[in-house]
Amino acid sequence: DAGITQSPRHKVTETGTPVTLRCHQTENHRYMYWYRQDPGHGLRLIHYSYGVKDTDKGEVSDGYSVSRSKTEDFLLTLESATSSQTSVYFCAISATDTQYFGPGTRLTVL
Amino acid sequence: SQQGEEDPQALSIQEGENATMNCSYKTSINNLQWYRQNSGRGLVHLILIRSNEREKHSGRLRVTLDTSKKSSSLLITASRAADTASYFCATDALIQGAQKLVFGQGTRLTINP
């Protein structure tokens, strides 16, 4: 998986609790992305980063925040998880046009 | 909203046959990419074709791009059981002023032995 790890790989949580997902890369790529994948919607961009402390919103950013304090780490936070945020979350990295994906985190919000 | 739309949504063929998947998109692009996703795994990049290219090959993969029709096709020749996966096209698109990849919903390909 191109030097990308995601943690945790699986998480079950309750509505209203905060959740943080971590993406770690060893490739020193500038760009990092968070996507969610849902049946019928494909892969949708949540947030992305174009450098340390430089982040911006994607198409489905409501209810999510991100932080990137180091090149290698990109954190996705659900401040107050809702059932609609049950999904599989993928992190990706890129240096140019091609993106390399992590193994995914399956999040269930009860 | 999805930029790329794959067709068909699902395809089932016999091992050894060729598989063709299509992707249509809405706005002008700089490049189009194809990715594969095995069940329970992340996406893996297969091939990138730029807007000034019409055809590209990589092993058993052949990708075509028709910018006048805003469409692309992915052909997998001599399919194998290991090709069973979902295949996604991705186009670059402007989102909030920055260039991003936008993925279609994918084609689920099943190769029957």
Side-chain angles (χ1 to χ4, degrees), chain B residues 4-17:
Chain B
E5 297 288 340
E6 284 96 341
D7 172 61
Q9 291 188 353
L11 178 63
S12 180
I13 61 173
Q14 295 300 120
E15 194 167 17
E17 295 180 340

Side-chain angles (χ1 to χ4, degrees), chain A residues 4 23 31-35 90-94 99-102:
Chain A
I4 311 168
C23 177
Y31 300 96
M32 298 185 76
Y33 311 82
W34 276 108
Y35 293 89
F90 287 99
C91 173
I93 64 174
S94 72
Q99 293 189 14
Y100 301 94
F101 284 78

Side-chain angles (χ1 to χ4, degrees), chain A residues 21-96:
Chain A
L21 307 183
R22 180 183 184 233
C23 177
H24 179 78
Q25 61 151 327
T26 58
E27 306 297 321
N28 202 36
H29 284 344
R30 176 183 178 186
Y31 300 96
M32 298 185 76
Y33 311 82
W34 276 108
Y35 293 89
R36 59 178 290 174
Q37 185 175 33
D38 305 287
H41 291 279
L43 223 65
R44 293 180 291 175
L45 181 65
I46 305 171
H47 280 279
Y48 69 100
S49 169
Y50 46 96
V52 173
K53 295 191 184 340
D54 292 324
T55 65
D56 207 344
K57 298 178 181 179
E59 60 177 315
V60 289
S61 59
D62 288 348
Y64 301 95
S65 63
V66 290
S67 66
R68 191 168 178 199
S69 59
K70 297 184 291 185
T71 299
E72 57 266 35
D73 289 325
F74 192 31
L75 304 181
L76 176 70
T77 297
L78 291 65
E79 300 290 347
S80 178
T82 67
S83 58
S84 64
Q85 292 175 313
T86 291
S87 187
V88 181
Y89 291 86
F90 287 99
C91 173
I93 64 174
S94 72
T96 56

